[in-house]
Amino acid sequence: MTIKIYSASTTAPVNIATLKYWGKRDTRLNLPTNSSISVTLSQDDLRTLTTAAASSSFETDKLWLNGIEESVHTPRLSACLAELRQLRRQHEQVHAELAPLSQYHLHIVSENNFPTAAGLASSAAGFAALVRAVADLFELPQSAEELSRIARQGSGSACRSLLGGYVAWDKGDAADGSDSVARQVATKQHWPDLRAAVLVISDAKKETSSTAGMQVTVATSTLFQHRVDVVVPARFEQMSAAIVAKDFETFGKLTIADSNQFHAVCLDSSPPIFYLNDYSRRAIAIIERLNAIYGRIVAAYTFDAGPNAVLYYQQKDEAIVLGLLKEALPDINGWKPSTANIIPSFPEGIPKSLLDGLQAGVSRIILTSVGDEPQPTSKSLIGTDGLPK
Ligand code: DP6
């Protein structure tokens, strides 16, 4: 007799913060010192695909990421699985007909459709996909907001990838983190014409991880407390309102200001943390000039804990933004066939020398847009033998 294998598969999106999470008040639960806001990006372009399977025939929990078996004995993964099993146990107590999946071992297989080395927010999509896949396998009744509390324990920013569109993560006040959850500010359909261009900026040197970097900032930066107490609470209200009003000018100004302040508190840490490199700064200079020439925010840049630039812009400005990027980056990977008719061009006032230097540092462009929450899929990464296909 073959023993039944239960499984569920999902895709989950990357999210890029426009109001940054930087600093924890509880490092075990990943409780943040400030609330944050992000845009969920389209899974057509960037996604993690995860299959979770359970069976009484599995002897231990196992995890494979991008084809390589990884340890399941990390505090973050253990915390997520323990919480999910606890919820399943409760579910089984109410529904006696359910198979006892809470007692079975799990096999989890996960793959990104983008290179992990590209330094994109892969842990956010990864933990969101893992929590969503196991929750679906367990047929949990909990909402995405409730599940975000679990994903947050895997990686703080992962809580925001359980929702689509425009997402806030409320920092919460409770010591147990029960109110530190993600919620939707607006759906993708509410403001569908937001676009993103990710410039993957190569950098050989190993960066300080977000987890380590934010602890140094919390412990040593004097600017940080002002950011947390005064700047972010005001920006959080303004940015939420700008999203609801589809006010790109305010949204873009705040996005730029917050990226710059995040990197300022990194520089104010001891030892200082540098995530931007010369190519990142060149991208900043180009976008600042572009916005100055047009007298409005045409594109807003933001940088996470690495040198990659993420540019947000509106569909109506596609010809301006992509024309400029085509002029600067004609020969890199990632240009979509749908952009073939966009003519390379740049406004008078941007020195050609500024554009000419960019291509040497950019390995790839990813063109995408605001996207949806994790999606269940019939595409399974686990075979009938319970192992990766
Ligand atoms: C700069 O969520 O990766 O991208 O909670 O320690 O896993 P951990 O950190 P992580 O930090 C993300 C930091 C950021 C800003 C953001 O996404 O809000």
Side-chain angles (χ1 to χ4, degrees), residues 28 34 62 157 202 209 257 270 295 299 338 369 389:
R28 187 177 60 85
N34 62 264
K62 282 176 178 283
S157 54
S202 347
S209 74
S270 177
S338 60
S369 56
K389 277 184 180 166

Side-chain angles (χ1 to χ4, degrees), residues 15-17 19-22 24 30 36-37 76 121 123-124 152 154-158 160 169 210-212 214 262 303-305:
N15 75 77
I16 299 291
L19 187 61
K20 302 295 186 193
Y21 150 50
W22 195 252
K24 301 178 207 246
N30 289 333
S36 56
I37 296 178
R76 291 169 169 222
S123 68
R152 188 242 301 141
S155 181
S157 54
R160 298 184 310 234
W169 170 13
S210 304
T211 308
M214 60 179 92
F262 153 48
F303 297 80
D304 280 346

